[in-house]
Every structure is written in structure tokens, then in C-alpha cells.
Amino acid sequence: MDTNQGYKNRALASLEGKWTNGVIAAIIYLLISGCVGQGASMFFDVTTGYGISGFWYILCLPLEWGITVYFLNLIRNEDIAYERLFDGYKDFVRIFLAGFLVSICIAIGMLLLIIPGIILAMMFALTEYILKDDKQISAADAMKKSAEMMKGHKMELFWLVLSFIGWAILSILTFGFGFIFLVPYFHSTMAHYYEDIKAENA
């Protein structure tokens, strides 16, 4: 396995000459997943607004998968046409179910004093990639395989994710503008991490 900086350097190398693609993909993702749902909820009362936001989050679960695997395609020099972001809706049941189950598990874990939620998030972090590489695997089996592949690596991945905290704060301070660059950087880094874990488990 590589160092945190090593993964980041590899991500930057993969994005060289493809930043425009990455930024546009991030804008599409952020506009649909965040702005549309939040914008719609502004026209209703608080309770209804939260309901709309929650419904929109659930509806966007396949898009969450889409942005993740888009950057896996990018680092593999595969198809990065923007319509790939919506491929999860072509396999809606499997992709949606995996995203929903992972979200529920993490949410329950977060209610149990946060740390269990972080552990579960790291445990199931590879689920989306596994679904991408194995078109036949079920949502539950993808989660199980992710848990198996992440044995002994959860703390390692946690520190890698945490290393982006400064970039996240900077993105917030720029009123969200920085996220259009952070999304490609982060997801490309995670994609390289997955490739190493996958090779280790081959």
C-alpha cells in the first residue's frame, strides 16, 4: 500500500489534462445532488423541507455511485463521458439498495457515539467500486466483500480520508466553490486506493 501523499500524487497525475472533465462532472453532481434538493425544500415549511431533502438524497443514491465510479474510470483511462454519471440508474435496484443499506448502517453507527459509524463507513467504503467491477454481485455480497477487503485497513483509510479535512474547510470558506476541485481530487485518490486494495486481494 502507498502513503497518503503517494495516493494524492497519483490522483493529481491521473487528473493532469483531465481537470476540466473532473470539474464539470463535479459541478453536475453537486448541482443535482445538493442544489436541486435544497432549492426545492426552500419553498416549504421546515418539516416538509426536511422530507423533500431526505427524499432527494435517497433518489440521488445512484448518482453518488456514479460520481465515485466516474473517477475510477478516469484513473483507468476508460470512458469518462458525462452520461456515465447516471449509469447507476440503469442498474437502479442493485445500486440503490447498496447505497441505502450502507447509509442506514452508517447512520445507526453514528447514533451509537459516532465511532461505530466511522468504523462502518470504512468497512463498507469499497462497496460502490465492487459493484462497478462485478456486474453480477448483489448489494449485500458487495458489502460483505468490502468488509473482508478492508480487514486491517480501516484505520489506514480513515487517516487518508482525514487528510482531506483542510481542503474541505477551505472549500467551505470559499462558499462551496472549492468543492468543484475537491470532488475530483478526493475521488481520484480513493479510486487509486481501491485499485491497490483490489490488487492486494487478487
Side-chain angles (χ1 to χ4, degrees):
M1 300 299 292
D2 207 341
T3 63
N4 288 354
Q5 192 56 52
Y7 285 118
K8 290 180 174 181
N9 291 340
R10 287 160 62 182
L12 292 173
S14 294
L15 285 164
E16 188 172 348
K18 299 177 183 176
W19 270 106
T20 300
N21 301 90
V23 167
I24 292 175
I27 291 173
I28 294 171
Y29 162 72
L30 291 169
L31 283 176
I32 296 174
S33 64
C35 296
V36 173
Q38 291 300 319
S41 67
M42 290 173 60
F43 296 98
F44 300 90
D45 60 78
V46 175
T47 302
T48 305
Y50 277 125
I52 291 173
S53 295
F55 174 76
W56 192 256
Y57 170 77
I58 291 173
L59 192 62
C60 286
L61 285 174
L63 182 61
E64 295 281 344
W65 178 84
I67 193 69
T68 298
V69 302
Y70 181 89
F71 289 99
L72 182 61
N73 281 355
L74 185 144
I75 72 160
R76 289 175 172 177
N77 294 311
E78 296 177 354
D79 183 10
I80 53 172
Y82 302 122
E83 54 263 34
R84 297 284 73 76
L85 292 168
F86 305 98
D87 281 352
Y89 293 96
K90 298 176 182 178
D91 189 9
F92 184 83
V93 174
R94 192 174 68 115
I95 300 303
F96 170 82
L97 186 59
F100 183 75
L101 290 175
V102 169
S103 296
I104 290 296
C105 288
I106 294 173
I108 292 173
M110 286 297 182
L111 291 175
L112 301 174
L113 304 178
I114 300 178
I115 292 177
I118 294 174
I119 293 172
L120 287 169
M122 299 302 103
M123 184 184 301
F124 298 131
L126 306 182
T127 302
E128 293 175 325
Y129 300 107
I130 293 167
L131 291 168
K132 156 72 174 176
D133 282 340
D134 187 344
K135 300 295 190 294
Q136 304 304 317
I137 196 169
S138 68
D141 285 343
M143 292 170 65
K144 181 180 178 181
K145 185 173 181 179
S146 176
E148 292 172 351
M149 292 172 70
M150 285 303 297
K151 286 180 179 177
H153 293 287
K154 288 185 283 294
M155 184 59 70
E156 173 186 87
L157 178 58
F158 172 74
W159 289 118
L160 178 57
V161 173
L162 194 64
S163 71
F164 283 92
I165 189 67
W167 291 106
I169 293 171
L170 181 61
S171 296
I172 293 170
L173 292 177
T174 58
F175 302 99
F177 180 77
F179 283 110
I180 68 174
F181 299 100
L182 179 57
V183 167
Y185 187 24
F186 176 78
H187 281 293
S188 296
T189 300
M190 293 301 118
H192 277 293
Y193 182 83
Y194 165 70
E195 292 287 68
D196 279 6
I197 289 283
K198 180 183 177 183
E200 186 179 274
N201 285 268

